Amino acid sequence: MGFFGFGKKDRVIDLTEGYKRQVARAEQAKQAQSSAANSSSPFSFFDSPAATSSSDDMDSSDPEERKKKLARRIMDMTEKLEDLSNQIYHLQQRVEVLERKADIRRN
């Protein structure tokens, strides 16, 4: 690893190709959806549910069930954010420890 000047720096992994392909696919899908939306009738909401891009479980359920599902999703997202925040905090603590050790060895 090349952190803090340790290890070899000549090894570089380029992960941008996969990302570029994902972006290109997303743009193509967006263009396909916009062209389909432009060519469809003004009453496209009467079309079959398979043709629309909305999720089936959110449209077919009653409002109370939709609220419960949304609340569950929000709770899951907040738990994931808290976990990530804790991981970032622990990583910051580790970096501080490593920086202290590096300063001790310099003196």
Side-chain angles (χ1 to χ4, degrees):
M1 294 172 57
F3 293 115
F4 307 115
F6 301 116
K8 297 187 177 186
K9 296 181 182 180
D10 59 343
R11 296 181 187 166
V12 177
I13 299 172
D14 186 15
L15 301 175
T16 58
E17 290 300 320
Y19 176 73
K20 288 177 184 177
R21 280 187 245 128
Q22 286 179 346
V23 169
R25 278 190 232 133
E27 288 176 3
Q28 288 175 352
K30 193 180 291 185
Q31 289 175 354
Q33 285 179 350
S34 65
S35 66
N38 292 340
S39 65
S40 64
S41 68
F43 302 107
S44 62
F45 53 87
F46 289 122
D47 294 343
S48 67
T52 61
S53 64
S54 64
S55 63
D56 295 331
D57 58 350
M58 294 299 280
D59 292 338
S60 63
S61 59
D62 62 337
E64 289 297 320
E65 190 174 330
R66 288 176 63 191
K67 287 180 186 177
K68 289 178 183 177
K69 287 182 181 180
L70 182 61
R72 248 185 278 139
R73 287 181 63 200
I74 291 173
M75 288 298 296
D76 290 341
M77 284 190 275
T78 54
E79 287 176 6
K80 287 179 184 177
L81 282 172
E82 288 175 358
D83 291 341
L84 291 173
S85 175
N86 287 337
Q87 288 177 359
I88 290 170
Y89 175 77
H90 290 298
L91 288 173
Q92 287 174 339
Q93 297 300 314
R94 289 180 183 177
V95 167
E96 288 178 8
V97 168
L98 291 173
E99 287 174 345
R100 277 189 235 129
K101 285 183 179 179
D103 287 338
I104 290 171
R105 290 183 184 161
R106 280 188 210 161
N107 294 332

